[in-house]
Amino acid sequence: MIKWIREYLSGRESYVRLNSTQSRKKGFKHGVPQGGVLSPKLFILFIDDIVKDLGPEVKVSLFADDLAV
């Protein structure tokens, strides 16, 4: 499962096209693919630990991908 998820998150590239001009491809090392079926679950697993590690004395509010401390 770990190998499968690592493969899902690796080798991602993107570029921008404006009219007939295209930028160079840029690789991504962080984040999850936009619109991916697994992306929301993987993001929740990631962000949930951040809130737990802050400790009880820190007040936080978490909604979707927004975090207020």
Side-chain angles (χ1 to χ4, degrees):
M1 180 68 114
I2 292 172
K3 185 178 179 182
W4 186 72
I5 291 172
R6 185 178 293 131
E7 190 67 28
Y8 174 73
L9 296 175
S10 67
R12 295 177 297 123
E13 296 180 320
S14 184
Y15 64 89
V16 176
R17 182 180 302 193
L18 179 60
N19 297 323
S20 61
T21 305
Q22 180 177 311
S23 70
R24 289 187 218 145
K25 289 182 180 180
K26 173 75 175 169
F28 291 96
K29 295 181 181 179
H30 306 288
V32 293
Q34 292 289 318
V37 175
L38 284 179
S39 296
K41 294 287 186 194
L42 293 174
F43 182 78
I44 288 169
L45 290 171
F46 169 76
I47 199 75
D48 192 46
D49 288 341
I50 290 175
V51 174
K52 289 177 184 175
D53 291 342
L54 291 175
E57 68 280 357
V58 179
K59 293 183 181 182
V60 298
S61 179
L62 180 61
F63 180 77
D65 63 349
D66 295 322
L67 174 67
V69 180

